[in-house]
Amino acid sequence: MNSSPSSRPSVVVAELGPTNTGKTHRAIERMLEHDSGIMGLPLRLLAREVYDRVTARVGEGRVALMTGEEKRLPPRPDYWICTVEAMPLDRPVDFLAVDEIQLAAHRERGHVFTDRLLHARGLRETWFLGADTMRPMVQALIPQASVKRATRLSQLRYSGRHSLKSLPPRSAVVAFSADRVYELAESLRRLRGGVAVVLGALSPRTRNAQVAMYQAGEVQYLVATDAIGMGLNLDLNHVSFAALSKYDGAEQRDLYSDELAQIAGRAGRHLNDGSFGMLNTLPELPPRVVSSIESHRFPAVRSLIWRNSSLDFSSPESLLDSLSRAPRNSAFIRVERADDFDALKELSHVPAIREVATDRASVDLLWQVCQIPDFRKGLFGQHVALLRETFLQLSEGDGKLEQAWLSRQVSPLDDVSGDIHTLMDRLAAIRIWTYISHRSSWLHDAEHWQERTRRIEDALGDALHERLVERFVQRAARRSARRFVRAAASPAAGSDSPFARLGLLLGEVPGSDGAMTEEQFVQRVVDATHEDFQVDASGSISFDGEPLARLVRGKDRRSPQIALAEPEVWTGGARRRLERRLVALARDLVTEAMGGFPAESLAGGDRSAETRGLAYRLAEGLGVISLGEGREQWRLLDTESRERLRALGVREGQRFLYVAEALTPHALARRCMLTALFQQAPSPKGVPREPALGIAELGGQSARAFGYEVLGSVALRIDVVERLSEVLSHPQGARQAHTLLQELRLENGVRARVLRELGGRSGGAPVKRRRRRRGGGGSGAHGPPAHAGAHPQPRRSRSGEGSVQGGSPKPE
């Protein structure tokens, strides 16, 4: 990533400004204009949110999600959404972005962000996003960077102090400890009927369920820690602070004005103004702090946290020395403390470890083990003991962790009983094992442990969400989280309603086993892979064999919309999450129809007009256009652009410009589904299975839209047309073309007309056969003409998925 093979220099852009300026949105848009990209986000929760946004644009088949504990890796991803620590820096991509770059000044994590600022680059373009306080440091460290100031889209105003009772709807109350969050949530529940809760310690599954409940309007209030300050997009009108100080891992301190602004800026999204204030248990904010927050002006960052990245693995002492090395640049401050360094320091004094860590490979392994995060944030000695045992097991025998030992650590966590605090403790613990399970080289059957730890984390997350709802949302103030149960639990006798069957599937009908909550079912859909859904030719989408939704007509064939089968059975939060996942599925279906052609990445402003125009036409044609539509733009392309399109599968055929994979049977089937959906009419019978159809069978519909070309009185599938045209382009191709047409079982006159349309010999038959017909016999000149009737019907091939087979009778 550090150097570009392209002749064009890599561009570095710094988009700096307050919250609600659209920085992340613009970075996503810019990334999608490139063929490949990586985005590094500061939080696992935010990474998942951006992943959801990107997959809703381009489908899940092109996007990977990588955090320390969660990996979703399709076979060939173009885009990677990651936490900053998990960014795969050895993977070359055209575009790279790091969000919230001001965290380079964070006392514990800052060294990672500083390293990305100094070393992480895209081959063509790199963006750093963050607060305007980073401007001097970016200009000093990357003088060639183009620094832009982003302007907030809405106004942010101070509204003074409020009581909990007088808070306006769509408000968030921010505290800085879990106990205080729960206390405030309980008070709001009594006053307002219900509240959602967001803490950094929640799993993404739990947080998403809580946020979805709030976003859908099931509750009007949110109580959160500063976890909402890092770019999470919420429909907030007002933010109220319940405290102005926090424990930062080293001491209890007052929040800086820029930290207050980061949180307050969550209020007012896009063009809607927002407000911030305090609970009336706190004093008024000083006027200078209010002014700086409203005007978004804060003291500049003057130093960044740094750690040496050139490490010496010859011994534990040498590694500690290299990690302790002081920076040479006065703009950097060596990181004061970090969990991995402290763990290494402790373990390097353990005799059993000193005996093993004697070479570079073992010291490197020791450092990897020390980087296992301590999500429990409890007794440090307890975490060090876990790291010690992990390293010693990896250093013995076959270099894998013992299965029985792993089971003893993980099994006690597979328990969804207990209160909120108990579940959160188990969630923190299982996250450690989820992290370890993704170090595949450390485990026997890593996939099994990844699945097991993920399942336990999911179950704990679901249970925690249920406990939070039970405790902080009054029943009268919310729609039941199991509302779909009542809709499906009492089907009429013999009912064939899809949701009667769904009720049975979910175990909601009395007497059935395996009961599943709405949240559990929705999460199964959200986590499902593309292959877990069934999509039929009419656009109906099923999951686990039961109808779930259907595609409906959008503005064009590439933009189908989603309609849940029975939307009223879902709560608002569940409905939003289902629709987001299904929108991503719809994008994948369109991509399949286009043969995987990434049209969106070719629409960027830095592409030539010819490339953009050609990409647009190919996208409109679902990967296929006539040469007449695209020949001029194709010929105007420069060599590099033409080769790039060829690498993406674009081919200049005899009659069409097309994406090779768009002419496969699967892609043609998707094309027909999308076309029928848009035209709101069923596909003609035999499409796309039959390689040849009579014009009458099209029923007046556009042959080209379904992947066919009209030639005389028949319509041939475009892949067949290209094959025939290619054959006829060769000097001795007439005989082979005639054979191919015979295999389609077309009558003589029809074959002749097709050959004339394709520019071949009109007679179609070899010279030898023409002489035999002149000799008399057979039908002769007085027999019935071969082409009788205005619209002769071709005889259909029985070759399944549109393949062409021989066996037709000879015309003599």
Side-chain angles (χ1 to χ4, degrees):
M1 239 179 242
N2 297 327
S3 61
S4 171
S6 171
S7 58
R8 288 181 285 183
S10 179
V11 174
V12 179
V13 174
E15 278 249 9
L16 307 177
T19 56
N20 191 26
T21 57
K23 298 187 295 292
T24 305
H25 171 76
R26 286 191 293 276
I28 291 172
E29 292 295 314
R30 186 59 178 156
M31 179 179 71
L32 295 180
E33 292 176 1
H34 288 273
D35 296 336
S36 58
I38 290 176
M39 285 195 71
L41 290 310
L43 297 174
R44 181 188 181 195
L45 301 178
L46 183 54
R48 183 64 198 230
E49 179 177 308
V50 171
Y51 171 80
D52 288 347
R53 290 172 62 185
V54 174
T55 54
R57 287 283 301 279
V58 302
E60 294 202 348
R62 298 181 62 196
V63 191
L65 173 67
M66 286 192 67
T67 69
E69 310 129 74
E70 187 175 15
K71 290 180 174 63
R72 292 175 69 92
L73 296 175
R76 292 183 298 276
D78 295 321
Y79 306 109
W80 298 71
I81 310 302
C82 319
T83 50
V84 173
E85 286 83 352
M87 294 172 70
L89 298 181
D90 58 344
R91 178 172 294 276
V93 292
D94 290 336
F95 178 89
L96 181 143
V98 180
D99 200 7
E100 306 292 358
I101 195 63
Q102 75 275 4
L103 288 178
H106 190 275
R107 62 193 306 168
E108 292 185 37
R109 298 179 66 201
H111 65 90
V112 179
F113 286 79
T114 299
D115 179 79
R116 303 298 182 259
L117 184 68
L118 295 175
H119 304 300
R121 297 291 184 270
L123 298 177
R124 297 183 183 276
E125 196 165 0
T126 304
W127 280 31
F128 296 111
L129 317 172
D132 198 51
T133 55
M134 282 291 291
R135 180 181 297 269
M137 296 305 304
V138 171
Q139 291 173 331
L141 297 173
I142 316 174
Q144 76 274 20
S146 171
V147 182
K148 303 177 181 178
R149 190 176 197 281
T151 303
R152 186 175 166 91
L153 300 175
S154 62
Q155 297 295 314
L156 184 63
R157 292 285 180 259
Y158 180 59
S159 63
R161 300 191 300 164
H162 294 268
S163 66
L164 283 177
K165 190 173 183 179
S166 63
L167 283 177
R170 312 308 289 169
S171 289
V173 181
V174 179
F176 298 98
S177 72
D179 288 341
R180 182 62 171 146
V181 165
Y182 297 144
E183 178 187 337
L184 291 164
E186 180 64 29
S187 297
L188 271 173
R189 182 192 68 82
R190 291 195 299 266
L191 291 168
R192 297 294 192 174
V195 63
V197 174
V198 174
L199 303 92
L202 298 181
S203 68
R205 188 178 180 110
T206 310
R207 191 278 297 185
N208 288 344
Q210 289 285 305
V211 168
M213 184 172 65
Y214 171 81
Q215 292 288 86
E218 294 170 36
V219 294
Q220 294 293 317
Y221 298 90
L222 183 76
V223 183
T225 63
D226 52 349
I228 68 168
M230 287 297 171
L232 297 181
N233 292 307
L234 300 165
D235 296 329
L236 289 172
N237 295 331
H238 179 77
V239 169
S240 186
F241 289 93
L244 296 175
S245 65
K246 72 172 185 177
Y247 181 73
D248 65 359
E251 60 182 354
Q252 186 77 21
R253 64 169 177 82
D254 291 338
L255 273 78
Y256 303 122
S257 56
D258 59 332
E259 292 175 314
L260 291 170
Q262 184 75 25
I263 300 166
R266 294 299 107 197
R269 305 307 299 161
H270 194 51
L271 300 178
N272 298 320
D273 293 344
S275 62
F276 69 100
M278 336 292 298
L279 291 186
N280 56 11
T281 55
L282 298 176
E284 290 280 2
L285 274 178
R288 61 177 182 80
V289 174
V290 171
S291 175
S292 63
I293 294 175
E294 289 183 339
S295 61
H296 320 296
R297 298 193 180 279
F298 310 99
V301 172
R302 296 299 180 185
S303 57
L304 305 181
I305 304 301
W306 177 90
R307 184 161 75 180
N308 181 33
S309 58
S310 300
L311 303 181
D312 183 351
F313 293 102
S314 57
S315 69
E317 292 77 13
S318 299
L319 178 56
L320 284 167
D321 288 343
S322 60
L323 286 165
S324 301
R325 191 168 301 159
R328 296 178 180 177
N329 191 322
S330 60
F332 300 141
I333 298 174
R334 183 172 62 85
V335 60
E336 293 179 6
R337 67 162 304 276
D339 288 344
D340 52 8
F341 180 86
D342 293 343
L344 176 64
K345 193 173 182 179
E346 290 285 329
L347 293 176
S348 65
H349 296 308
V350 176
I353 288 180
R354 293 178 65 86
E355 291 177 9
V356 175
T358 57
D359 56 34
R360 296 185 63 84
S362 59
V363 175
D364 187 8
L365 175 62
L366 177 60
W367 180 232
Q368 292 178 43
V369 170
C370 289
Q371 291 176 302
I372 296 173
D374 181 14
F375 294 110
R376 292 173 295 188
K377 300 298 182 185
L379 296 174
F380 186 64
Q382 181 182 9
H383 185 64
V384 170
L386 171 65
L387 301 184
R388 173 186 178 278
E389 181 63 24
T390 301
F391 174 73
L392 291 177
Q393 286 195 30
L394 293 173
S395 302
E396 299 171 353
D398 60 1
K400 308 282 187 181
L401 296 177
E402 297 174 4
Q403 298 270 53
W405 178 74
L406 278 172
S407 185
R408 288 196 300 273
Q409 306 301 316
V410 171
S411 294
L413 304 175
D414 193 2
D415 181 0
V416 296
S417 63
D419 60 15
I420 290 173
H421 292 283
T422 301
L423 291 172
M424 289 190 69
D425 288 344
R426 290 193 194 120
L427 262 173
I430 197 62
R431 288 176 68 187
I432 296 174
W433 298 105
T434 302
Y435 179 93
I436 290 174
S437 74
H438 282 93
R439 306 304 296 260
S440 299
S441 61
W442 293 2
L443 297 96
H444 296 282
D445 195 4
E447 289 186 2
H448 161 75
W449 289 105
Q450 290 166 12
E451 170 60 27
R452 185 174 179 185
T453 56
R454 185 194 64 79
R455 180 183 57 77
I456 293 173
E457 183 176 338
D458 289 349
L460 290 170
D462 291 340
L464 179 57
H465 173 63
E466 289 179 21
R467 300 294 193 284
L468 292 171
V469 170
E470 288 170 2
R471 179 171 172 183
F472 299 125
V473 183
Q474 291 180 0
R475 292 185 181 276
R478 66 185 177 97
R479 298 166 68 185
S480 169
R482 296 163 64 94
R483 182 171 182 268
F484 73 106
V485 177
R486 294 196 295 274
S490 303
S495 171
D496 60 355
S497 163
F499 270 77
R501 296 194 298 275
L502 178 60
L504 289 170
L505 171 70
L506 298 176
E508 299 298 355
V509 177
S512 63
D513 298 324
M516 185 184 297
T517 66
E518 178 190 72
E519 169 59 26
Q520 289 171 329
F521 179 77
V522 169
Q523 194 63 46
R524 285 189 62 214
V525 176
V526 169
D527 289 340
T529 64
H530 184 73
E531 293 72 25
D532 292 329
F533 297 93
Q534 302 84 45
V535 185
D536 67 18
S538 68
S540 293
I541 302 170
S542 299
F543 182 73
D544 279 348
E546 297 296 331
L548 180 61
R550 68 185 189 280
L551 297 174
V552 296
R553 189 179 193 269
K555 65 179 181 180
D556 53 40
R557 291 189 298 175
R558 295 183 296 134
S559 307
Q561 302 301 302
I562 292 293
L564 293 174
E566 290 190 25
E568 67 276 4
V569 305
W570 308 104
T571 57
R575 188 163 58 248
R576 287 171 65 95
R577 298 177 68 205
L578 286 171
E579 288 172 345
R580 189 227 57 85
R581 176 62 187 94
L582 294 173
V583 165
L585 174 68
R587 298 295 173 264
D588 282 330
L589 297 174
V590 174
T591 300
E592 288 176 0
M594 294 195 296
F597 182 65
E600 197 158 23
S601 67
L602 299 173
D606 58 344
R607 307 283 185 175
S608 68
E610 292 78 23
T611 299
R612 295 198 307 271
L614 205 55
Y616 175 79
R617 287 179 179 274
L618 281 168
E620 286 289 297
L622 293 180
V624 182
I625 59 174
S626 68
L627 273 183
E629 292 178 88
R631 180 187 286 113
E632 182 178 356
Q633 288 170 320
W634 178 258
R635 291 178 178 175
L636 288 173
L637 291 173
D638 58 53
T639 302
E640 181 184 356
S641 299
R642 191 179 292 114
E643 288 305 313
R644 175 60 189 147
L645 287 172
R646 285 183 176 135
L648 293 172
V650 178
R651 301 289 182 264
E652 184 182 17
Q654 299 298 314
R655 296 174 68 90
F656 293 93
L657 196 67
Y658 60 93
V659 180
E661 291 296 313
L663 296 185
T664 62
H666 181 72
L668 289 169
R670 293 294 190 224
R671 162 188 281 269
C672 292
M673 177 193 72
L674 294 171
T675 301
L677 191 72
F678 181 70
Q679 296 184 353
Q680 297 184 305
S683 300
K685 187 176 180 180
V687 171
R689 184 182 66 256
E690 298 294 344
L693 297 171
I695 290 180
E697 294 182 70
L698 293 174
Q701 298 190 68
S702 167
R704 183 79 58 81
F706 287 98
Y708 286 73
E709 179 77 343
V710 173
L711 297 168
S713 59
V714 294
L716 299 186
R717 213 171 51 209
I718 286 174
D719 59 322
V720 176
V721 172
E722 276 299 317
R723 184 180 173 191
L724 283 167
S725 299
E726 175 64 25
V727 165
L728 288 170
S729 68
H730 299 292
Q732 305 302 319
R735 181 182 296 273
Q736 187 178 354
H738 181 74
T739 302
L740 291 173
L741 286 170
Q742 277 188 311
E743 291 174 354
L744 295 178
R745 301 185 178 185
L746 301 180
E747 297 179 356
N748 288 351
V750 178
R751 292 202 302 268
R753 176 69 181 274
V754 168
L755 281 173
R756 284 197 301 272
E757 293 275 351
L758 293 175
R761 295 171 60 178
S762 61
V767 173
K768 181 178 179 181
R769 290 186 177 179
R770 193 155 50 242
R771 287 174 181 168
R772 289 173 61 186
R773 282 199 295 272
R774 277 202 212 88
S779 59
H782 303 288
H787 178 27
H791 298 292
Q793 300 297 312
R795 299 172 188 162
R796 298 235 176 116
S797 164
R798 299 178 183 175
S799 55
E801 197 62 44
S803 61
V804 180
Q805 67 179 20
S808 57
K810 294 184 179 181
E812 300 84 316

